[in-house]
């Protein structure tokens, strides 16, 4: 069971939950219960926590409800599907979204998920400066999309990492 107390005056700089052990349903329930804390955090780290499409829906909700507050999100080691990435990408398109750093290392991102992310970054190129997609299942079309994005004069990332799995 998870208990969180956060008053309206409190803000968290960093919310960090690493290697949460539980079923996918448990991980989703924990994310739902912690959503008020996540919404008020500037940095959210959910590494190896079993975040799936349902968890991405909760995180997209956090971005939607407080788009200018959350600046960093680390979802390394979670197996997200295309629909989850589409939900996150839709929120990244919002011009109010101020997310600056997104880590999706080893998350099973495919060319389709990569296309959604590239589209979002073209729609709102001014904020996200660090995107890590290393260790994912990118094919030639995903790599091309990211390479084109690196060369786009409107989007100048400080770091765009997309090493393919060998």
């Amino acid at each position: 069971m998870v208990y969180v107390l956060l008053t309206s005056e409190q803000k968290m700089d960093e919310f960090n939950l690493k290697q949460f052990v539980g079923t996918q349903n448990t991980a989703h329930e924990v994310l739902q219960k912690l959503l008020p804390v996540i919404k008020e955090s500037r940095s959210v780290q959910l590494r190896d926590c079993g975040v799936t499409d349902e968890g991405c829906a909760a995180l997209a909700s956090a971005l939607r409800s407080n788009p200018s507050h959350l600046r960093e999100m680390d979802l390394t080691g979670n197996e997200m599907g295309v629909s989850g990435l589409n939900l996150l990408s839709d929120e990244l398109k919002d011009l109010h979204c101020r997310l600056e750093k997104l880590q999706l290392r080893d998350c099973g991102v495919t060319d389709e998920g990569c296309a959604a992310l590239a589209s979002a970054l073209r729609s709102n190129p001014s904020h996200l400066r660090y995107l890590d997609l290393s260790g994912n299942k990118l094919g030639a079309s995903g790599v091309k999309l990211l390479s084109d994005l690196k060369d786009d004069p409107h989007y100048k990332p400080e770091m765009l990492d997309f090493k393919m799995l060998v």
Side-chain angles (χ1 to χ4, degrees):
M1 193 170 283
V2 175
Y3 296 98
V4 176
L5 175 63
L6 184 69
T7 68
S8 60
E9 293 88 31
Q10 291 175 313
K11 302 247 187 244
M12 288 186 71
D13 272 345
E14 180 178 324
F15 176 79
N16 190 336
L17 180 68
K18 292 182 181 175
Q19 296 178 332
F20 174 76
V21 179
T23 66
Q24 287 181 354
N25 288 339
T26 306
H28 175 66
E29 289 172 15
V30 168
L31 277 178
Q32 288 291 55
K33 289 180 181 178
L34 294 175
L35 206 53
V37 177
I38 291 170
K39 287 178 185 178
E40 296 301 322
S41 300
R42 295 183 71 66
S43 175
V44 173
Q45 295 187 26
L46 299 168
R47 300 180 105 188
D48 300 309
C49 289
V51 177
T52 60
D53 288 343
E54 290 176 334
C56 285
L59 293 170
S61 170
L63 279 171
R64 183 173 34 260
S65 67
N66 198 358
S68 64
H69 195 68
L70 190 59
R71 300 300 170 109
E72 296 181 14
M73 189 180 299
D74 184 352
L75 299 172
T76 296
N78 293 290
E79 277 295 320
M80 292 170 285
V82 173
S83 63
L85 282 173
N86 284 337
L87 289 168
L88 287 176
S89 296
D90 286 346
E91 297 311 317
L92 290 173
K93 290 179 183 179
D94 182 348
L95 295 178
H96 296 101
C97 181
R98 300 282 191 253
L99 195 67
E100 298 169 359
K101 183 177 181 179
L102 179 59
Q103 290 180 236
L104 298 170
R105 296 170 66 184
D106 301 312
C107 287
V109 178
T110 62
D111 289 346
E112 193 175 345
C114 192
L117 288 167
S119 172
L121 295 176
R122 283 198 176 85
S123 297
N124 184 9
S126 61
H127 295 290
L128 194 67
R129 293 287 168 233
Y130 180 96
L131 176 62
D132 187 351
L133 291 169
S134 58
N136 284 290
K137 302 168 186 173
L138 303 181
S141 65
V143 170
K144 171 125 176 62
L145 284 168
L146 293 172
S147 296
D148 291 348
L149 189 60
K150 271 184 146 177
D151 298 332
D152 187 330
H154 297 100
Y155 180 68
K156 292 294 181 198
E158 292 171 12
M159 181 170 180
L160 179 57
D161 193 351
F162 54 94
K163 295 176 194 108
M164 296 185 335
L165 284 176
V166 181

